[in-house]
Amino acid sequence: MIKQYGCPVELAVDVIGGRWRVVILARLKEGAHRYGELRRLTPGISEKMLTQRLRELEADGLVTRKDHETVPPHVEYSLTEEGRSLAPVLQALYDWGVERAARTGARVGSGA
Amino acid sequence: MIKQYGCPVELAVDVIGGRWRVVILARLKEGAHRYGELRRLTPGISEKMLTQRLRELEADGLVTRKDHETVPPHVEYSLTEEGRSLAPVLQALYDWGVERAARTGARVGSGA
DNA sequence: CTGTATCCTTCAAGATACTG
DNA sequence: CAGTATCTTGAAGGATACAG
């Protein structure tokens, strides 16, 4: 089914919305990461969610999956050109999140 | 319950995430709007959702509600200073949405 | 015009266990 | 290491009717 959006913001939210997508994208913005690294870097996410989101992001053309075909397995995820085009959005979200945390006193991990 | 975030992006998504919040905020970014205007400007939203989201945004300090106390009722919603601080985020989402739509051929209303 | 109230469905997400 | 499979739950959202 082809979806009809009321405005561009709605489209953007549809692609990067949800609990985990932008968090994963924010991690990959720093550089390529292995599956296990992403899992460690994303506290609270389950393996199921991580795999599911990665598959969706792949399908949306924002992330690429590189399987090194080794034993034991070694798989790396990184942003595509399209994924990197999200940089301004991720940066804006990050900056606002920092300010908001300062104003509200919310607890936020280092992000490192 | 105090929530612990893994990174600032997660916090930002928690506040503006969901199907409708940013769409409503994007509308109010243009200026104050009445309840009925917002409903018309946000195709697909139900009255329940609109009211619910507005109440949440109010509680989060992003939106203010001005009741003119008239009969028939006249209520206006607008962004608070905190809400306006989201402008860069909304702009980034909008811009990316426009680009994405061009690349994927998605259908997007004027947004006007 | 600006909402509330109620009911119902769907879907994201969590928990847990298992596999190549 | 990098996943898949299954089950369950909780919240988000939709439909509809009603109210000040």
Side-chain angles (χ1 to χ4, degrees):
Chain A
M1 166 204 177
I2 294 197
K3 190 158 180 182
Q4 167 77 284
Y5 296 98
C7 81
V9 171
E10 199 181 339
L11 165 64
V13 167
D14 198 47
V15 177
I16 65 162
R19 177 99 177 69
W20 297 114
R21 300 233 256 261
V22 285
V23 178
I24 295 171
L25 289 167
R27 289 313 185 185
L28 293 177
K29 181 164 174 281
E30 307 156 2
H33 281 303
R34 299 180 59 170
Y35 180 87
E37 288 174 340
L38 283 175
R39 191 177 39 189
R40 277 186 302 100
L41 290 169
T42 317
I45 198 170
S46 68
E47 295 178 348
K48 185 184 106 176
M49 280 300 106
L50 181 54
T51 301
Q52 220 169 79
R53 293 310 143 236
L54 284 170
R55 295 286 173 277
E56 290 172 1
L57 293 170
E58 232 190 307
D60 285 337
L62 302 176
V63 163
T64 44
R65 178 179 186 276
K66 169 69 179 170
D67 189 338
H68 292 232
E69 306 277 3
T70 58
V71 178
H74 180 157
V75 179
E76 268 193 356
Y77 293 91
S78 52
L79 294 186
T80 61
E81 194 53 43
E82 175 86 4
R84 277 190 289 278
S85 76
L86 271 169
V89 173
L90 298 172
Q91 190 62 50
L93 285 169
Y94 185 95
D95 292 344
W96 189 81
V98 171
E99 292 171 29
R100 173 82 176 177
R103 280 190 293 258
T104 64
R107 290 164 172 273
V108 180
S110 68
Chain B
M1 166 205 178
I2 295 198
K3 191 157 177 181
Q4 166 78 283
Y5 296 99
C7 82
V9 171
E10 200 179 339
L11 164 64
V13 167
D14 199 44
V15 178
I16 66 163
R19 176 98 179 67
W20 297 114
R21 301 232 256 260
V22 286
V23 178
I24 296 172
L25 290 169
R27 290 311 184 185
L28 293 177
K29 182 164 172 280
E30 308 155 2
H33 280 304
R34 299 181 59 169
Y35 180 88
E37 289 174 339
L38 283 175
R39 190 177 40 189
R40 280 187 300 98
L41 291 168
T42 317
I45 198 171
S46 68
E47 294 179 350
K48 185 184 106 175
M49 281 300 107
L50 180 55
T51 301
Q52 217 168 82
R53 292 312 143 238
L54 284 171
R55 295 287 173 277
E56 290 172 1
L57 293 170
E58 234 190 306
D60 285 338
L62 302 176
V63 163
T64 44
R65 178 180 187 274
K66 169 68 178 167
D67 190 337
H68 291 232
E69 307 276 3
T70 60
V71 178
H74 181 157
V75 180
E76 270 193 354
Y77 294 92
S78 52
L79 294 186
T80 61
E81 194 53 44
E82 176 86 4
R84 278 190 288 279
S85 76
L86 270 168
V89 173
L90 297 172
Q91 190 63 50
L93 284 170
Y94 186 94
D95 293 344
W96 190 81
V98 171
E99 293 171 28
R100 173 81 177 178
R103 281 190 292 259
T104 64
R107 289 163 171 276
V108 179
S110 69

